Amino acid sequence: MANSKVKRFGILTSGGDAPGLNAAIRGVARTAMEQFGMQVIGIEHGYRGLIQGNARELKGADFSGILTRGGTILGTSREKPFKNPLPDAKGKFPIDNIKENYKKWNLDALVVLGGNGTNTTGSLLSEAGLNVIGLPKTIDNDLVHTDITFGFHTAVDVATEAIDRIHTTAHSHNRIMVVEVMGHKAGWLGLYSGVAGGGDVILLPEIPYNIQSIARHLEKRRDEGKAFSIVVVAEGAISEEESLMEKKIFKQNRKSMPYSIAYRVAHELEAATNLESRVTVLGYLQRGGTPAPYDRALATLFGTAAAHMLATGDFGKMVALQNGKVVGVPLSEVAGKIKKVPRDDKMLLAAREVGTCFGD
């Protein structure tokens, strides 16, 4: 058993759940325990558990049979210790409790599994003096400096299968079927599921849409004898008018909408084309269920890499995949940033080549 810089570490999952979290937990913990003799402390419900002191030591039996399970055995929350922090009844701020529990549990390091918010908090904890390693989890695939995040492939599979199924109803009833997928600030999931599912129109947060441009595209399809159309809409898609609004006004407008963006697009298209439209919002279906084999393998790869980084004391970094190689990226370079779909992305350009409309 090799020597290790870390004898005992805590692990938590934070933010939205995603397929592959349990596989990643298993990858980190089994490697750390079997190859380096480390002890693993499972922190429950993300950063909330780290603040409130909810944790338990994990044993080998805890990782048996979890590779194929969705969700997370540790539970999760969207707790953000550094966002508008308030003192507790004893006058302690979240960071005070975190440091106290880190010391009380005799931790040498902390492994955090999550997306933008989780790794941003991880970076702040690193700056506060804790030894932190992050893993890239999100179905949105929007973390910078990594080619892919675990959870993304499964979400693409689920969304694509849904679009495939909706094709049959669209064809049978000669309708416009609007399918809303997740992707608040980045449109990777909408782009890949839209292309894989044969979406005729794909609307992304990065490309403000013009409803008349979409209407012309759908009317052209109708004139060519194509009586139905599939419109894939990311939840964060915006119109050209919205793209010109001040941020505050835009947020107020979105909050006042009585329904999600897919319903608005459907109503606008019906008015512009006189074609019957129906909406399907996939919602949390995209995050649930059994992780795809690719995500299980990727999460295992990331997890084992994190264990080796613990052993060598390579802290303050997020595990990432770059050009087929697993590397460590400084958390400070990941914090607060979002990887958006660029206009020259190869998949976006390929979609345009086959006639997909992006509403611009």
Side-chain angles (χ1 to χ4, degrees):
M1 197 171 287
N3 291 327
S4 171
K5 297 282 186 180
V6 169
K7 302 300 181 185
R8 185 178 171 94
F9 71 93
I11 185 168
L12 62 82
T13 57
S14 181
D17 67 306
L21 276 170
N22 286 325
I25 293 169
R26 173 181 176 271
V28 177
R30 278 197 169 177
T31 305
M33 294 168 67
E34 295 181 13
Q35 302 302 321
F36 302 105
M38 299 181 202
Q39 289 181 300
V40 185
I41 304 300
I43 300 166
E44 298 174 348
H45 301 293
Y47 290 116
R48 183 181 301 161
L50 187 58
I51 295 168
Q52 297 178 351
N54 299 322
R56 60 189 174 88
E57 184 173 355
L58 300 178
K59 302 294 185 180
D62 290 302
F63 315 116
S64 179
I66 71 170
L67 177 67
T68 61
R69 283 171 57 183
T72 162
I73 62 169
L74 296 176
T76 187
S77 70
R78 293 190 181 277
E79 190 77 27
K80 297 179 180 179
F82 293 94
K83 187 175 182 179
N84 304 319
L86 296 172
D88 60 17
K90 296 180 180 178
K92 292 182 179 179
F93 284 89
I95 185 60
D96 300 321
N97 288 314
I98 287 173
K99 286 184 174 180
E100 187 175 290
N101 287 324
Y102 186 89
K103 184 177 180 180
K104 181 176 72 174
W105 294 333
N106 295 316
L107 301 183
D108 299 311
L110 187 66
V111 178
V112 300
L113 285 63
N116 290 300
T118 301
N119 283 284
T120 296
T121 298
S123 178
L124 293 170
L125 291 176
S126 182
E127 291 176 10
L130 276 61
N131 295 326
V132 182
I133 293 173
L135 267 73
K137 171 275 315 177
T138 169
I139 68 169
D140 293 324
N141 196 39
D142 60 353
L143 278 165
V144 297
H145 300 304
T146 184
D147 295 341
I148 197 161
T149 59
F150 66 85
F152 176 64
H153 262 262
T154 304
V156 170
D157 286 353
V158 172
T160 302
E161 182 179 357
I163 296 168
D164 288 348
R165 291 175 181 274
I166 285 168
H167 260 96
T168 59
T169 295
H171 186 271
S172 298
H173 292 270
N174 295 336
R175 288 172 174 163
I176 297 173
M177 302 297 282
V178 182
V179 184
E180 183 179 303
V181 301
M182 286 185 169
H184 182 59
K185 295 181 179 178
W188 296 103
L189 180 54
L191 175 61
Y192 274 72
S193 64
V195 171
D200 305 298
V201 178
I202 301 173
L203 304 183
L204 309 176
E206 294 88 348
I207 305 176
Y209 72 82
N210 181 306
I211 204 68
Q212 295 303 322
S213 175
I214 303 169
R216 286 193 296 271
H217 182 76
L218 299 183
E219 288 169 344
K220 181 174 180 290
R221 282 178 51 80
R222 179 186 58 190
D223 294 342
E224 293 172 348
K226 301 169 184 175
F228 73 94
S229 294
I230 302 293
V231 179
V232 179
V233 183
E235 63 182 333
I238 62 172
S239 67
E240 289 180 345
E241 293 78 12
E242 287 175 318
S243 71
L244 302 175
M245 291 179 182
E246 293 181 8
K247 190 174 182 180
K248 185 177 180 180
I249 301 298
F250 170 74
K251 285 187 174 181
Q252 289 174 347
N253 280 11
R254 276 300 171 93
K255 283 184 178 180
S256 66
M257 280 174 54
Y259 36 66
S260 65
I261 184 65
Y263 286 94
R264 190 183 77 184
V265 169
H267 291 318
E268 291 173 338
L269 287 176
E270 275 200 349
T273 64
N274 291 319
L275 295 171
E276 190 178 14
S277 301
R278 291 291 184 272
V279 175
T280 299
V281 179
L282 299 185
Y284 293 112
L285 287 172
Q286 298 157 91
R287 292 219 306 248
T290 302
Y294 183 91
D295 277 331
R296 299 179 210 173
L298 182 65
T300 300
L301 183 67
F302 283 159
T304 57
H308 281 269
M309 289 167 69
L310 287 169
T312 58
D314 194 10
F315 305 126
K317 294 181 179 179
M318 181 189 80
V319 181
L321 188 69
Q322 295 180 353
N323 299 318
K325 294 182 179 180
V326 179
V327 298
V329 178
L331 283 166
S332 59
E333 295 181 12
V334 177
K337 298 176 183 176
I338 295 173
K339 181 178 71 177
K340 293 179 176 289
V341 178
R343 294 291 184 108
D344 62 350
D345 178 76
K346 62 181 183 298
M347 187 61 70
L348 193 152
L349 295 177
R352 289 192 188 276
E353 290 284 345
V354 297
T356 306
C357 171
F358 285 89
D360 53 350

